[in-house]
Amino acid sequence: MKLSSKARYGLKAVCELAKNYGQTMPLSQIALNTELSEGYLEQLFLALRKAEIIGSVRGVSGGYFLIKAPQNISVGEVLRVLEDGLQIVDCIHGNCNAKCHCSTHDVWNKLYLQINNFLDSITIQSIIDEG
Amino acid sequence: MKLSSKARYGLKAVCELAKNYGQTMPLSQIALNTELSEGYLEQLFLALRKAEIIGSVRGVSGGYFLIKAPQNISVGEVLRVLEDGLQIVDCIHGNCNAKCHCSTHDVWNKLYLQINNFLDSITIQSIIDEG
DNA sequence: AATAAAACCTAGTAAAACAGTAGGGATTAA
DNA sequence: TTAATCCCTACTGTTTTACTAGGTTTTATT
């Protein structure tokens, strides 16, 4: 139940973009501000772009930008991209073949919903407001 | 954010013990009923015993038993033993040296509390009742 | 047209974590 | 004495993680 670096770094980077919402930021600048590896961030940004959370401009004076306003993006949206859908077990629907006569699956299902509901209730804007 | 096999198997095994609360069950029987590896379960039971969640009787006709009644044990108690305290990030108190000017740490702290509160609210008894 | 800044993309890789297995020792009822 | 059972440590193959490397493409600027 540990969060991956992808998730932690990714959220930080998205917050950095949020603080500069409306502008385009080169990855080098984001890496500098967050003290994260530029090469590693690049991979995360590739995923975030394909998920249409961020957009990009190529070439000189290009960079990345948030597509939606920070108050309209939830932490859940971002993390689901970076954390394989935030699923905490592989058989989330209890369709595994185990001869388990107790409903532990229900626990995992409910925990999954709790986590997602909570993370969906937090906006990126609220994070940078607190900081 | 995946749950480990330790956690999944451990909870199943504890449920199995709960269904036979008041009796002593040999590990071989638990492994059989849950279709889990006896050798692996042994490790989990070592930890659960040291955490005083289960007790054991050695020798012939020995085995393991739940120390507390199933309605007095929460899923959280069990999982914290098996999942390194259920901490989702290493620096849960935000004491890492990162030059992060946004409060993503607050998110992880709150999520940590959400998860623990939720799991503490579920008793082992309620799981076997549903099954 | 040349250059340099930037995104884009794939593949490799060392280290850690995971999910067990192996093998023996200690205890105890029968 | 035996066999069942818990106790404990160490080892091991696999997978995941957290990157790094190295190149390609695009584009503003000179």
Side-chain angles (χ1 to χ4, degrees):
Chain A
M1 282 290 282
K2 279 270 162 63
L3 231 78
S4 67
S5 294
K6 272 166 96 169
R8 286 182 291 117
Y9 296 0
L11 186 59
K12 273 193 187 179
V14 164
C15 285
E16 190 61 31
L17 277 183
K19 280 190 273 182
N20 297 278
Y21 181 59
Q23 300 167 49
T24 296
M25 282 187 89
L27 196 53
S28 55
Q29 189 63 46
I30 298 167
L32 209 67
N33 291 0
T34 56
E35 289 187 332
L36 299 172
S37 147
E38 186 173 342
Y40 194 40
L41 275 182
E42 197 169 36
Q43 287 184 17
L44 312 187
F45 275 47
L46 189 66
L48 289 168
R49 185 178 56 77
K50 286 181 176 167
E52 296 183 321
I53 287 179
I54 62 176
S56 62
V57 177
R58 299 178 73 165
V60 175
S61 79
Y64 293 96
F65 57 91
L66 272 191
I67 288 182
K68 292 194 288 183
Q71 59 265 32
N72 295 326
I73 310 176
S74 72
V75 176
E77 283 178 72
V78 175
L79 293 195
R80 273 188 294 275
V81 172
L82 300 169
E83 276 270 344
D84 190 27
L86 278 172
Q87 302 204 328
I88 57 168
V89 288
D90 283 331
C91 60
I92 196 71
H93 296 303
N95 55 340
C96 61
N97 55 354
K99 192 173 150 192
C100 170
H101 300 302
C102 67
S103 35
T104 53
H105 281 118
D106 286 0
V107 178
W108 309 141
N109 269 316
K110 287 174 186 164
L111 177 58
Y112 169 77
L113 291 175
Q114 280 270 327
I115 291 172
N116 277 268
N117 286 340
F118 173 70
L119 292 175
D120 284 343
S121 76
I122 303 177
T123 67
I124 300 297
Q125 182 67 48
S126 74
I127 298 179
I128 58 179
D129 283 346
E130 287 178 43
Chain B
M1 282 287 283
K2 279 270 161 63
L3 231 77
S4 67
S5 295
K6 275 165 96 168
R8 286 183 289 116
Y9 296 179
L11 187 58
K12 274 193 187 180
V14 164
C15 285
E16 190 61 29
L17 277 183
K19 281 192 271 181
N20 296 278
Y21 180 59
Q23 300 165 51
T24 296
M25 283 188 88
L27 197 54
S28 55
Q29 189 63 47
I30 298 167
L32 209 66
N33 291 0
T34 56
E35 287 187 332
L36 299 171
S37 147
E38 187 174 340
Y40 195 38
L41 276 183
E42 199 168 34
Q43 288 184 18
L44 313 188
F45 275 47
L46 189 65
L48 290 169
R49 184 177 57 77
K50 286 182 175 167
E52 296 183 323
I53 287 181
I54 62 176
S56 62
V57 176
R58 299 177 75 167
V60 175
S61 78
Y64 293 97
F65 58 90
L66 272 191
I67 288 184
K68 292 194 287 182
Q71 59 265 32
N72 295 326
I73 310 174
S74 72
V75 176
E77 283 178 71
V78 176
L79 293 195
R80 274 188 293 274
V81 172
L82 300 168
E83 276 270 346
D84 190 28
L86 278 172
Q87 303 205 327
I88 57 169
V89 289
D90 283 331
C91 62
I92 196 68
H93 297 302
N95 55 340
C96 62
N97 56 352
K99 192 172 151 191
C100 170
H101 299 302
C102 66
S103 35
T104 52
H105 281 119
D106 286 358
V107 177
W108 309 141
N109 268 316
K110 287 176 186 163
L111 177 57
Y112 169 76
L113 291 175
Q114 280 273 327
I115 290 172
N116 277 268
N117 287 338
F118 173 69
L119 292 175
D120 284 342
S121 75
I122 304 178
T123 67
I124 301 297
Q125 183 66 49
S126 74
I127 299 179
I128 58 179
D129 283 345
E130 288 179 42

